[in-house]
Amino acid sequence: DIQMTQSPSFLSASVGDRVTISCRASRSVSTFLNWYQKKPGKAPDVLIYAASTLQDGVPSRFSGSGSGTDFTLTINNLQPEDFATYYCQQSYNMPFSFGPGTKVEIK
Amino acid sequence: EVQLVESGGGLVKPGGALRLSCAASGFFSSEYGMNWVRQAPGKGLEWVASILSDDQYIYYTDSMKGRLTISRDNAKNSVYLHMDRLTPEDTAVYYCARKLDTALGDWFDSWGQGTLVIVSS
C-alpha cells in the first residue's frame, strides 16, 4: 500500500497570508493526487484533483503542484473560511490512502 | 442535484454488528465506484471500502478486513456497508462518497453528511 505523509501537521496563519502544505507519497503516484478540505461537522470537499486541477467552484487562491512523490497545496491570500484541515489523497492505486491532515488555524 | 444520504449509524455494543446505508439521488450509483470513508474522533480521514461500478472489484481496508461487506442495490439506488464484530476503535463518522473516474485520475467528488457510529458498552 502507498503511505502518505503531510507537513506540517498544524500551522497557524493570519488572514491574507500565503500558506503552503506539503504531501509526500511513499512511492510515485504520478499526478494521481487529490486535495480535500474538511471542516468540523461537514463532509470533505475536493479542492484539487490530478495534482493541479482546480475543482469547479473552488476559488483560484487555491493551487496545487507536484508529481511523482512530492506535492504542494498553496493557499494565497488566506480567507476566514479557509481555516480547516486539509488532506491529500493518492488515487494511483487502491487503497486510495489519505494523508494524516494539516490543520490550518487562525493566528 | 447529486446527493448522498447516509443512515444506520448509532450506538452498538462491542462485538455487535451494524449496516450503514447510503441513498443516492441525482445520479445512478450503479454507474460509479462508491466508497465509504470514516473519521474517528480527533483523527484524520480513513478510506474504508470501495465497490467499483462493475461490481467485480471490491476493496476493504486492512484494519477492518474480514469484518466488512460492501454491497449495492441498484433498484434502490443505494450502497450499503455491513460491519461485524465492532470494537470501540471503529467509533467514527462514516461517510459515503462517489468516485469520479476520468483520464486524469479518480477522486471523491460528492460526499454524504455522514452517519455516526459509536461502539461502547
Side-chain angles (χ1 to χ4, degrees):
Chain A
D1 294 358
I2 297 174
Q3 311 302 319
M4 307 300 293
T5 58
Q6 288 182 233
S7 62
S9 54
F10 170 89
L11 70 88
S12 184
S14 301
V15 172
D17 282 355
R18 182 181 191 223
V19 163
T20 299
I21 298 169
S22 296
C23 172
R24 176 166 287 179
S26 59
R27 59 182 175 93
S28 176
V29 297
S30 184
T31 56
F32 297 113
L33 191 285
N34 310 312
W35 289 97
Y36 298 85
Q37 178 190 67
K38 176 73 169 67
K39 295 181 179 179
K42 298 285 186 71
D45 284 317
V46 61
L47 298 173
I48 287 170
Y49 59 88
S52 61
T53 304
L54 206 61
Q55 171 74 344
D56 288 346
V58 174
S60 59
R61 62 180 180 271
F62 291 92
S63 64
S65 64
S67 66
T69 60
D70 292 301
F71 302 87
T72 301
L73 172 69
T74 300
I75 312 172
N76 288 302
N77 186 22
L78 196 67
Q79 294 299 296
E81 60 267 29
D82 301 336
F83 292 96
T85 302
Y86 294 85
Y87 295 90
C88 61
Q89 179 204 35
Q90 64 83 17
S91 60
Y92 185 77
N93 60 17
M94 295 299 287
F96 285 177
S97 41
F98 290 92
T102 296
K103 187 173 185 179
V104 177
E105 288 202 342
I106 301 172
K107 185 181 286 185
Chain B
E1 179 193 3
V2 170
Q3 195 171 12
L4 297 168
V5 178
E6 302 96 334
S7 60
L11 176 63
V12 60
K13 287 183 167 49
L18 214 53
R19 189 181 84 152
L20 306 182
S21 300
C22 171
S25 59
F27 72 103
F28 294 114
S29 61
S30 59
E31 297 178 356
Y32 291 83
M34 298 299 294
N35 307 266
W36 290 92
V37 175
R38 69 180 180 179
Q39 184 174 34
K43 303 293 186 182
L45 299 175
E46 178 187 14
W47 168 85
V48 171
S50 295
I51 181 167
L52 300 192
S53 57
D54 60 8
D55 285 5
Q56 282 196 315
Y57 294 97
I58 287 176
Y59 301 88
Y60 299 113
T61 179
D62 284 347
S63 64
M64 296 185 76
K65 198 166 280 186
R67 300 192 291 122
L68 294 177
T69 304
I70 188 171
S71 61
R72 60 165 106 221
D73 183 335
N74 294 334
K76 294 184 177 179
N77 208 20
S78 293
V79 179
Y80 306 97
L81 183 69
H82 183 88
M83 304 186 290
D84 276 324
R85 302 189 302 281
L86 287 162
T87 74
E89 289 67 41
D90 297 318
T91 294
V93 175
Y94 286 74
Y95 295 97
C96 174
R98 183 179 81 168
K99 183 169 73 72
L100 207 56
D101 298 341
T102 76
L104 293 177
D106 301 351
W107 61 95
F108 298 167
D109 73 321
S110 295
W111 298 67
Q113 83 290 348
T115 187
L116 176 61
V117 172
I118 300 173
V119 184
S120 175
S121 53

